[in-house]
Amino acid sequence: MSLAHDHALTLALFCRVVDNYGDIGICWRLARQLQREHGILVTLWVDDLPSFRRICPDVDPGAALQQIHGVTVRHWAGQDGVFTPADIADIVIEFFACDIPPGYITAMAQCEPRPVWFNLEGLSAEEWVEGCHTLPSSHPRLPLTKHFFFPGFTAKTGGLMREAALDEERRQFQADATGMAAFLGQFGVTAQEMASAKVSLFCYPHAPVAALFGAWQGGAQAMTCLVPEGVATEAVEAFLKAPSSAGAVATRGALTVRVLPFVPQPDYDRLLWACDLNGVRGEDSFVRAQWAGRPFIWHIYPQDDNLHHKKLRAFLGRYASGLDSLSALSLCWNGATPADPDPAPLWPAFHAALPELHARADEWQRQMLANGDLTSNMLNFAASLRSSRPG
Ligand SMILES: Cc1cn([C@H]2C[C@H](O)[C@@H](COP(=O)(O)OP(=O)(O)O[C@H]3O[C@@H](C)[C@H](O)[C@@H](O)[C@H]3O)O2)c(=O)[nH]c1=O
């Protein structure tokens, strides 16, 4: 179904950075894809430009308004009461219930026709998501309806975000050993490290990294662990016996740990593609690891009352059925096995299962591809809402 309109479609995406980089990471990826692949005029409202700059060095952290890669970026800094219907986009997305300015909502209600309004939710493998995906919610006072849009792992959800060219780019990169060596070489990775088993490591500070380092250090296989600056600092510094700044490196036993700079978002994909195993966290890097087609270990964002353990188990139920070594290490890595908190004894079985995990990564990717991509799915749903409107 096409979006019938007589001008380039406009879209406003509101992003509040709660913490870390996932909120802006997801919104920036979505904004670029909407602009690049669908020709939509996107305005990204974001309240934290310095965080944005970490994943996109082109961001000017002091600019109220800027154009980046074809996307209009506005610093969201308490603007309200300044909006008229002329300011309102055809599609409005609030990321993760971030409460867009009341003045913007009032102006939305004055538009004719009214914009399509989405709340884009966080990713979860839990079953209830299918029942809530695309549900409408009427505004208590204004003639406006918001729809919930859920990313997910089944055809009854919005799917996962994936750029159209991603798979082709990944395949080309992974088939090009020279290009891959040049990519890693810019971070100082040596030929010897390149020839070893490479692991990227992105996790929250409470992951039991030191214990895993111990297992790798004492293992038979040479391993190189590439850690972005600022990640697992305590364990990395204990291993390095030095500050964990980009470029720092040390080898003990079979393990080399090398600190990388925090790289721009497209390079982070390349890092995942170049490694044999990826430690990822949160939401966006977790999804990118799935598109990398390589085994990964997920460190889930911690929530009160261990709600995240339920979410982790829901994902493992879909992904790791029959892959006991993956389930065991994942649960331990995330503190879901308090009686057995040490991941080291689980490593040998996991290591032995890597070929099987590789095959599973490929199979899963094919399964996820069949759900379409989140951005197209959302635009198709927006088109259906627009065409079913009266008048
Ligand atoms: C390590 C690294 C990451 N990145 C990007 C990849 C992702 O877009 C982003 C990291 O986001 P995530 O993987 O989601 O992990 P995160 O921990 O940074 O973000 C989290 O924030 C919380 C507030 C959310 O509730 C979580 O669900 C999650 O999104 O940073 C780079 O661009 N360069 C790098 O070097």
Side-chain angles (χ1 to χ4, degrees):
M1 196 175 301
S2 78
L3 286 163
H5 54 276
D6 52 13
H7 60 276
L9 207 61
T10 57
L11 184 147
L13 171 55
F14 287 86
C15 174
R16 208 180 277 292
V17 175
V18 178
D19 63 3
N20 304 322
Y21 310 104
D23 308 292
I24 186 58
I26 291 164
C27 290
W28 176 229
R29 194 179 293 295
L30 176 62
R32 265 179 308 165
Q33 195 188 2
L34 286 161
Q35 188 276 333
R36 214 183 271 172
E37 295 178 21
H38 300 276
I40 295 177
L41 299 176
V42 182
T43 302
L44 171 59
W45 291 82
V46 53
D47 65 345
D48 179 350
L49 293 170
S51 290
F52 189 3
R53 190 180 158 83
R54 292 246 21 228
I55 61 163
C56 176
D58 296 326
V59 171
D60 174 353
L65 175 68
Q66 54 195 309
Q67 287 288 326
I68 310 174
H69 304 196
V71 172
T72 301
V73 174
R74 299 196 59 167
H75 185 209
W76 183 11
Q79 296 94 334
D80 197 18
V82 293
F83 300 103
T84 70
D87 300 315
I88 304 304
D90 300 313
I91 301 177
V92 178
I93 303 176
E94 57 182 46
F95 180 68
F96 225 175
C98 66
D99 286 335
I100 60 183
Y104 196 93
I105 296 176
T106 306
M108 278 163 72
Q110 293 161 359
C111 289
E112 205 51 65
R114 238 91 63 203
V116 170
W117 183 10
F118 288 131
N119 179 7
L120 177 57
E121 285 287 344
L123 175 63
S124 171
E126 292 163 295
E127 267 176 30
W128 60 263
V129 166
E130 290 186 343
C132 295
H133 176 55
T134 70
L135 278 188
S137 157
S138 299
H139 193 278
R141 291 182 317 281
L142 298 169
L144 284 171
T145 303
K146 171 159 71 178
H147 287 84
F148 293 93
F149 204 86
F150 282 83
F153 303 100
T154 70
K156 291 182 184 160
T157 68
L160 300 175
M161 213 185 323
R162 172 181 48 81
E163 296 80 0
L166 185 70
D167 199 44
E168 186 51 35
E169 282 173 18
R170 172 184 71 90
R171 283 174 196 283
Q172 277 182 17
F173 183 86
Q174 288 178 337
D176 173 12
T178 316
M180 199 137 67
F183 172 75
L184 291 176
Q186 70 182 305
F187 306 119
V189 175
T190 64
Q192 202 177 0
E193 290 162 24
M194 219 97 68
S196 71
K198 295 177 289 302
V199 184
S200 78
L201 180 63
F202 188 36
C203 59
Y204 297 108
H206 58 282
V209 174
L212 209 50
F213 279 179
W216 293 346
Q217 188 177 335
Q221 188 186 18
M223 293 190 58
T224 300
C225 181
L226 303 170
V227 195
E229 199 171 15
V231 173
T233 312
E234 209 181 305
V236 169
E237 294 195 340
F239 184 89
L240 296 174
K241 301 196 195 322
S244 78
S245 43
V249 61
T251 302
R252 296 180 202 293
L255 175 64
T256 298
V257 172
R258 176 178 286 283
V259 182
L260 303 191
F262 206 90
V263 294
Q265 215 179 29
D267 277 347
Y268 182 64
D269 274 330
R270 293 184 188 104
L271 176 64
L272 297 176
W273 300 343
C275 287
D276 305 289
L277 171 65
N278 293 302
V280 287
R281 75 182 200 190
E283 178 169 329
D284 194 49
S285 59
F286 168 53
V287 172
R288 303 313 278 185
Q290 292 169 54
W291 294 133
R294 296 275 160 100
F296 62 90
I297 301 256
W298 182 29
H299 203 217
I300 188 169
Y301 187 77
Q303 287 179 290
D304 290 342
D305 302 325
N306 285 335
L307 190 64
H308 58 296
H309 289 161
K310 207 166 163 235
K311 291 186 176 173
L312 173 66
R313 286 195 172 90
F315 176 71
L316 293 173
R318 294 188 189 279
Y319 188 94
S321 147
L323 299 169
D324 295 350
S325 61
L326 173 60
S327 292
L329 188 61
S330 301
L331 291 168
C332 176
W333 187 239
N334 283 282
T337 53
D340 297 301
D342 183 359
L346 304 173
W347 175 253
F350 182 90
H351 185 245
L354 278 173
E356 205 184 339
L357 296 178
H358 207 130
R360 176 61 180 140
D362 277 344
E363 187 192 2
W364 176 258
Q365 198 173 52
R366 278 196 295 279
Q367 207 176 313
M368 293 303 104
L369 278 172
N371 297 332
D373 73 279
L374 179 119
T375 308
S376 304
N377 291 342
M378 190 159 58
L379 289 176
N380 286 339
F381 182 55
S384 70
L385 293 174
R386 283 164 69 90
S387 67
S388 64
R389 272 191 308 224

